[in-house]
Amino acid sequence: MKLVIIRHAQSIANAENRWQGQKDYPLSDQGYKESEALKEKFELENIAPTSVYSSPLGRAVRTAMIAFPESNVVRIEDLKEEDIGVFSGKTHEEVQRDYAVIAEEFTRTRNIDVIPRSESTNMLNKRVVNVINFLVKGHNNEDVIAVFTHGGIMIPLINVLLQTKETWRINIPNGAVFQFNINVDVWGQPKISEKQQEGFSIIQFSDTRYLG
């Protein structure tokens, strides 16, 4: 199967340098342009998904609808952004002002458990595993799946997909595209084999070159 995972285009909150979490912000004008560029990218690459899935938050759904206007966009609750508790809706400056110690610890550890009223790491990991199992085990090798989600949840999603527990610190810009080819018949088997390695490949990783 071909699995394409996309971070939503720029939202108004992104443009304002504001923490979003599960607050529902619409796309910015720039976000609409990025979504149209995504549409052109997928047309050039002949990506015609058999299924399109999205976080239910508006910025992700709208990106998906613009990128694939002929597709039915199925909303999946577990694709929502991580809940960042008291940081939600605040600018980075406001977080530093109001929660300086917590912000410093989060920046150092990337552990959302330190943020008051946030989603626990355990709960986030559970829904990430649920999503990946559904996407891979619930589809066939002939399927082309497009998934629209959020920056904060993408690293856990990719970790589960790659079957690694590494903590990655990579920049995932708005509109970044990750593309994988997966043999669903061997993915997830506990023993790494030559056949498994041949059945999984990374085609694009945080690609935003199409934005110019």
Side-chain angles (χ1 to χ4, degrees), residues 89-117:
K90 292 185 176 293
T91 65
H92 286 258
E93 291 76 15
E94 289 168 342
V95 165
Q96 289 293 336
R97 181 195 67 202
D98 298 339
Y99 305 103
V101 174
I102 296 169
E104 190 280 329
E105 185 175 356
F106 175 74
T107 300
R108 179 172 51 83
T109 65
R110 308 309 294 180
N111 180 8
I112 62 174
D113 292 336
V114 304
I115 305 172
R117 298 200 293 277

Side-chain angles (χ1 to χ4, degrees), residues 75-206:
R75 295 155 176 81
I76 297 179
E77 281 292 316
D78 281 342
L79 283 171
K80 281 198 302 190
E81 180 63 292
E82 60 186 348
D83 187 344
I84 52 172
V86 297
F87 286 10
S88 298
K90 292 185 176 293
T91 65
H92 286 258
E93 291 76 15
E94 289 168 342
V95 165
Q96 289 293 336
R97 181 195 67 202
D98 298 339
Y99 305 103
V101 174
I102 296 169
E104 190 280 329
E105 185 175 356
F106 175 74
T107 300
R108 179 172 51 83
T109 65
R110 308 309 294 180
N111 180 8
I112 62 174
D113 292 336
V114 304
I115 305 172
R117 298 200 293 277
S118 66
E119 180 176 20
S120 71
T121 300
N122 185 49
M123 290 300 296
L124 176 63
N125 288 339
K126 281 183 178 178
R127 62 185 177 95
V128 163
V129 169
N130 287 341
V131 167
I132 293 298
N133 282 337
F134 164 72
L135 293 173
V136 179
K137 297 178 181 179
H139 296 83
N140 300 316
N141 282 324
E142 295 74 26
D143 287 327
V144 178
I145 309 300
V147 178
F148 291 81
T149 187
H150 306 269
I153 195 176
M154 287 187 82
I155 291 298
L157 281 170
I158 292 166
N159 280 351
V160 173
L161 189 63
L162 299 181
Q163 301 176 69
T164 178
K165 294 184 178 179
E166 293 291 330
T167 301
W168 297 25
R169 295 204 177 195
I170 62 172
N171 181 37
I172 303 181
N174 291 112
V177 177
F178 295 75
Q179 186 179 149
F180 307 91
N181 284 343
I182 304 167
N183 183 336
V184 301
D185 297 325
V186 298
W187 181 88
Q189 292 180 5
K191 184 177 180 181
I192 298 298
S193 66
E194 197 171 299
K195 184 178 180 182
Q196 274 185 275
Q197 291 173 341
E198 291 173 356
F200 187 99
S201 57
I202 301 172
I203 309 303
Q204 295 176 354
F205 201 89
S206 198

Side-chain angles (χ1 to χ4, degrees), residues 59-72:
R59 55 193 184 271
V61 173
R62 193 63 183 145
T63 304
M65 293 175 68
I66 295 171
F68 295 111
E70 304 301 320
S71 297
N72 177 42

